[in-house]
Amino acid sequence: MVTIKDIAKKLGFAPSTISKALNNAADINDDTKQLVYETALKMGYKIKRQKNSYGLSERRVCIMIDNMDYENNEQFGYDLILGFKDAAMNRNWDVDIIPMSLNALNPIARNYDTYMLQHKYSGAFMIGFSMHNDYIRNLKKTQFPTVLLDNHITENLKVGYVSTDCYEGIRLALKHLKKLGHRKIAFLNGTKNTMISYERINAFEQIMHELNLPVYDELLENGYYVPDCAKYHVPKFLKHGATAIVCASDLIASGVINEVTRHKLSVPDDISVIGFDDMPFSTRLSPPLTTIKQDRLSLGKSALILLDGLINDIPISKMILRAELIERNSTDVAKQS
Amino acid sequence: MVTIKDIAKKLGFAPSTISKALNNAADINDDTKQLVYETALKMGYKIKRQKNSYGLSERRVCIMIDNMDYENNEQFGYDLILGFKDAAMNRNWDVDIIPMSLNALNPIARNYDTYMLQHKYSGAFMIGFSMHNDYIRNLKKTQFPTVLLDNHITENLKVGYVSTDCYEGIRLALKHLKKLGHRKIAFLNGTKNTMISYERINAFEQIMHELNLPVYDELLENGYYVPDCAKYHVPKFLKHGATAIVCASDLIASGVINEVTRHKLSVPDDISVIGFDDMPFSTRLSPPLTTIKQDRLSLGKSALILLDGLINDIPISKMILRAELIERNSTDVAKQS
């Protein structure tokens, strides 16, 4: 076990300086803190859990959140955080929520491990980050147990991810459409070059083959997770005779319904539409949306369970949840062509 | 909530008869018990957790084991069960071990849900079963939270599985062999038509492509999880110029080493061999075996964590653990041909 004395000896500082720096004391300057954190991490220093005022060991983890709304129950992050906090309470973990946009000016926050050590977190759940982000690059070599959503880091035993089984979800959606007589089915995917978009397009093509349905290149497109992207792709889908469109999110599906309507066609009479997520607003679309449900509360709970496992040295790589098809009114029998 | 009275009314029996049957009393005959169990299950009856002698709710789960050795630490099941029991202890679950071979004559044991209800188990971890087994067929419609090892049941939210990431494992093995100059690499897989063999052959082919290594049909074979299968396939691999053989288990690898030696060739001078599992005996082979490690203790812990999740209505489908490559002496630079 590396101690504060070991770090002090290595740096030629007094042990009290090391201790103050690790506790983020105001009378130690940022450069010294940074040096102490980096040295401590390099030497493999582990935070000792301090007793809190109730005499219990401090057990703190955090949720770092970026590019994702979570303030009200209409938003994707809301149930995710609720589930995480609920499971954390059951296991006596305290949870801090850290909106990363508020850390943009903090130089120490730019280094993930330093930040975690400074704030005495045992682990983190990171949501909404893009893979090109500095923080994600930090994860390749982090020593801190970390859980991601829909994002994979190879060969670091400290990082795992939670996700919804998109093979199962897309299989349920395509079986449903096949039963309704659809054959020319389009897929409007999310942002290109992310792990989850890659998995979903693979799932779509594989399951179309399994079900003996034809796959047309003209009916596969990548959009973005906003309704607006529909107008760039739906016209092509319609031109190539699609009778059904599967979308990578409910937001995209809402845009697709609008775009189909703008072409003087009806959902579901002319075109069937399936979303992904089962967001609260999907029941209020017109027509109410058939969609592949992601159980966000359970995803949040699973993230904490996975993080707790990583903290206890169980090298979990993935936890994958079941998907469910919620049938509403945006799908119907295929129109005879 | 369905009560004992409801079941009594439905069957026209006295409530005391139902209660006795559900408690497996000796003075109720097997036919009556079977009828009561089946009716109770159909009506959605849930076991009430009873208090034990310490005044705590009874929390019991079981491990059902078939076709797998576990009595000593040389065997695959040993650490699996140890890990499961360790995680169970931390969460206050009692665990019973049920060797299924001892239940062959029990007619009630043939129906999984009836058996679980009768013994008041909240859930089970089933290991070593083959997918063709009656028990596995029962799982398609079970109401009891159940965790499998390396086996998937679709569309039943009560059943999940734990597994080791074979893509990561096989990627580490093939990158290691490529670095040593190998190009003609054979794969001796396990028993055909199992989920795990299917995944592993897919992983092997996909990663060979990723690494720009050629895949030859003559170098891909399915064996069985016994050393003996090596003699049916190794001669063909040698004939077709393989310089390395990746095996689906350490047992298979032990047979491969013997077979290569029988052909007056040396491991690793002429042929490199990689196993799968990292069983204790793999260090004692000659030469000590390079192998893809399955962390069986963590698999067992994960199985309990997953089961606990399912019991708490978190619809986890899979928990996948990291694989690791353990480099020993059965791999070396490829011989120049």
Side-chain angles (χ1 to χ4, degrees):
Chain A
M1 279 291 277
V2 177
T3 65
I4 284 178
K5 276 190 189 159
D6 297 330
I7 304 167
K9 203 170 161 191
K10 173 97 177 179
L11 289 173
F13 290 168
S16 60
T17 308
I18 306 298
S19 173
K20 279 183 179 179
L22 289 173
N23 284 295
N24 205 19
D27 59 340
I28 305 285
N29 71 45
D30 276 354
D31 286 352
T32 306
K33 280 181 194 167
Q34 183 70 24
L35 179 65
V36 169
Y37 294 139
E38 280 173 9
T39 309
L41 287 166
K42 243 179 251 163
M43 293 175 72
Y45 176 73
K46 298 256 182 276
I47 315 159
K48 257 193 223 139
R49 288 188 187 147
Q50 301 189 330
K51 307 278 181 186
N52 63 19
S53 51
Y54 302 101
L56 296 167
S57 279
E58 260 194 75
R59 288 164 59 92
R60 295 175 74 201
V61 293
C62 64
I63 301 177
M64 294 188 173
I65 188 159
D66 201 21
N67 302 316
M68 189 186 283
D69 294 323
Y70 60 94
E71 289 84 359
N72 70 65
N73 67 2
E74 292 286 322
Q75 297 172 324
F76 194 90
Y78 185 83
D79 279 349
L80 216 52
I81 292 179
L82 210 63
F84 187 89
K85 290 190 78 161
D86 180 62
M89 206 172 60
N90 287 333
R91 285 166 186 77
N92 294 315
W93 285 106
D94 283 330
V95 180
D96 289 345
I97 314 282
I98 305 170
M100 291 315 293
S101 53
L102 303 181
N103 269 318
L105 299 176
N106 179 345
I108 290 179
R110 279 189 226 131
N111 181 301
Y112 175 62
D113 277 22
T114 306
Y115 187 86
M116 295 292 286
L117 183 65
Q118 180 186 29
H119 291 82
K120 300 196 164 58
Y121 291 124
S122 297
F125 179 31
M126 297 180 84
I127 47 182
F129 291 78
S130 98
M131 263 303 193
H132 302 290
N133 193 294
D134 279 350
Y135 268 79
I136 300 285
R137 280 198 294 270
N138 276 323
L139 292 176
K140 293 258 174 201
K141 48 182 177 45
T142 184
Q143 301 169 27
F144 284 87
T146 306
V147 174
L148 307 177
L149 173 70
D150 289 342
N151 258 333
H152 188 49
I153 297 281
T154 51
E155 294 176 29
N156 183 344
L157 271 66
K158 289 291 178 197
V159 186
Y161 75 88
V162 293
S163 192
T164 301
D165 189 341
C166 64
Y167 283 83
E168 181 165 58
I170 290 174
R171 183 176 289 113
L172 292 168
L174 293 177
K175 278 169 86 169
H176 172 64
L177 289 174
K178 185 182 178 181
K179 205 191 257 178
L180 292 170
H182 294 275
R183 287 185 57 79
K184 293 194 102 172
I185 304 171
F187 184 50
L188 184 44
N189 204 351
T191 314
K192 221 174 170 168
N193 294 329
T194 65
M195 183 197 87
I196 194 70
S197 294
Y198 180 76
E199 283 209 338
R200 286 177 180 176
I201 185 65
N202 277 353
F204 183 86
E205 293 192 33
Q206 179 185 315
I207 293 155
M208 288 291 278
H209 289 305
E210 272 177 36
L211 298 175
N212 292 314
L213 293 169
V215 175
Y216 301 99
D217 283 348
E218 300 78 18
L219 300 183
L220 306 177
E221 287 293 345
N222 279 97
Y224 294 92
Y225 291 105
V226 292
D228 228 35
C229 76
K231 65 178 171 218
Y232 303 106
H233 305 295
V234 169
K236 189 167 111 179
F237 293 164
L238 297 177
K239 188 179 141 202
H240 284 90
T243 64
I245 303 172
V246 178
C247 308
S249 79
D250 291 346
L251 267 184
I252 296 177
S254 72
V256 167
I257 292 177
N258 283 338
E259 187 63 20
V260 168
T261 311
R262 216 175 56 81
H263 279 78
K264 314 271 179 246
L265 292 169
S266 151
V267 175
D269 294 344
D270 301 302
I271 304 288
S272 286
V273 175
I274 296 187
F276 210 114
D277 290 343
D278 192 33
M279 296 297 290
F281 73 80
S282 63
T283 60
R284 300 192 302 266
L285 293 179
S286 154
L289 189 66
T290 296
T291 186
I292 299 161
K293 178 175 173 172
Q294 297 211 65
D295 182 342
R296 294 178 294 284
L297 209 57
S298 291
L299 275 170
K301 288 180 186 178
S302 299
L304 185 281
I305 292 170
L306 202 170
L307 188 58
D308 190 79
L310 292 173
I311 292 168
N312 287 294
D313 290 324
I314 307 177
I316 305 163
S317 175
K318 322 175 187 173
M319 262 174 93
I320 312 292
L321 295 201
R322 297 273 176 183
E324 218 180 318
L325 185 72
I326 308 293
E327 293 182 28
R328 297 201 185 92
N329 309 104
S330 63
T331 44
D332 205 343
V333 289
K335 214 179 175 181
Q336 302 296 334
S337 56
Chain B
M1 278 292 277
V2 177
T3 65
I4 284 179
K5 277 191 190 158
D6 298 330
I7 303 167
K9 203 171 160 190
K10 174 97 176 176
L11 288 175
F13 290 168
S16 61
T17 308
I18 307 298
S19 173
K20 279 183 179 177
L22 289 173
N23 283 295
N24 205 17
D27 59 341
I28 306 286
N29 70 44
D30 277 354
D31 286 350
T32 306
K33 279 180 194 168
Q34 182 72 22
L35 179 65
V36 169
Y37 295 138
E38 278 172 11
T39 310
L41 287 167
K42 245 180 245 159
M43 294 174 71
Y45 175 74
K46 297 255 182 280
I47 315 159
K48 256 190 223 143
R49 289 189 186 145
Q50 303 188 329
K51 307 278 183 188
N52 62 18
S53 52
Y54 302 101
L56 295 167
S57 278
E58 260 192 75
R59 288 164 58 92
R60 294 176 76 202
V61 293
C62 65
I63 301 177
M64 293 187 173
I65 189 160
D66 200 21
N67 303 317
M68 189 187 281
D69 294 322
Y70 60 93
E71 288 85 0
N72 71 63
N73 68 2
E74 292 286 323
Q75 297 171 325
F76 194 91
Y78 185 85
D79 278 350
L80 216 51
I81 292 179
L82 209 64
F84 188 89
K85 292 190 77 161
D86 180 63
M89 205 172 61
N90 287 333
R91 286 165 185 76
N92 294 314
W93 286 106
D94 283 331
V95 181
D96 288 345
I97 314 282
I98 304 171
M100 290 315 292
S101 52
L102 302 182
N103 269 318
L105 299 177
N106 178 347
I108 291 180
R110 278 189 227 131
N111 182 303
Y112 175 62
D113 276 23
T114 306
Y115 187 86
M116 295 293 285
L117 184 64
Q118 181 185 28
H119 291 82
K120 300 197 163 59
Y121 291 124
S122 297
F125 179 31
M126 297 179 85
I127 47 181
F129 290 79
S130 99
M131 263 302 193
H132 302 288
N133 192 294
D134 279 350
Y135 267 81
I136 299 286
R137 279 198 296 270
N138 276 325
L139 292 176
K140 293 260 176 201
K141 49 181 176 44
T142 185
Q143 300 168 29
F144 284 86
T146 306
V147 174
L148 308 176
L149 174 70
D150 289 342
N151 257 334
H152 188 48
I153 297 281
T154 51
E155 295 176 28
N156 183 344
L157 273 66
K158 290 290 178 197
V159 186
Y161 76 87
V162 292
S163 192
T164 301
D165 189 342
C166 65
Y167 284 83
E168 184 167 57
I170 290 174
R171 182 175 290 113
L172 292 168
L174 292 178
K175 278 167 87 169
H176 172 64
L177 290 175
K178 185 181 178 181
K179 206 191 258 178
L180 293 171
H182 295 274
R183 287 184 56 78
K184 293 194 104 173
I185 303 172
F187 184 48
L188 184 44
N189 205 350
T191 314
K192 222 173 172 170
N193 296 328
T194 65
M195 183 196 87
I196 195 68
S197 292
Y198 181 76
E199 283 210 338
R200 286 176 181 176
I201 185 65
N202 277 354
F204 183 86
E205 293 192 33
Q206 180 185 316
I207 293 156
M208 288 291 277
H209 288 306
E210 273 177 36
L211 298 176
N212 291 315
L213 294 170
V215 175
Y216 301 98
D217 283 347
E218 299 78 19
L219 299 184
L220 306 177
E221 288 294 345
N222 279 98
Y224 294 91
Y225 291 105
V226 291
D228 228 35
C229 76
K231 66 177 169 215
Y232 303 106
H233 306 295
V234 169
K236 190 165 111 177
F237 293 162
L238 297 178
K239 187 179 140 200
H240 284 89
T243 64
I245 303 173
V246 178
C247 308
S249 79
D250 290 348
L251 266 185
I252 296 177
S254 72
V256 167
I257 292 177
N258 283 337
E259 186 62 19
V260 169
T261 311
R262 217 176 55 81
H263 280 78
K264 316 270 176 244
L265 293 169
S266 148
V267 176
D269 294 343
D270 301 302
I271 305 288
S272 286
V273 176
I274 295 186
F276 210 114
D277 290 341
D278 193 32
M279 297 297 290
F281 73 80
S282 63
T283 60
R284 300 191 302 264
L285 293 177
S286 155
L289 189 66
T290 295
T291 186
I292 300 161
K293 179 177 173 171
Q294 295 211 66
D295 182 341
R296 294 178 296 281
L297 208 60
S298 291
L299 276 170
K301 288 180 185 178
S302 298
L304 186 282
I305 292 170
L306 202 169
L307 188 59
D308 190 79
L310 292 173
I311 291 169
N312 287 294
D313 289 324
I314 307 176
I316 306 163
S317 175
K318 321 173 189 177
M319 262 173 92
I320 312 292
L321 296 200
R322 297 274 176 182
E324 218 180 318
L325 185 71
I326 309 294
E327 293 181 29
R328 296 200 184 94
N329 308 102
S330 64
T331 44
D332 205 342
V333 290
K335 211 178 177 182
Q336 302 296 331
S337 54

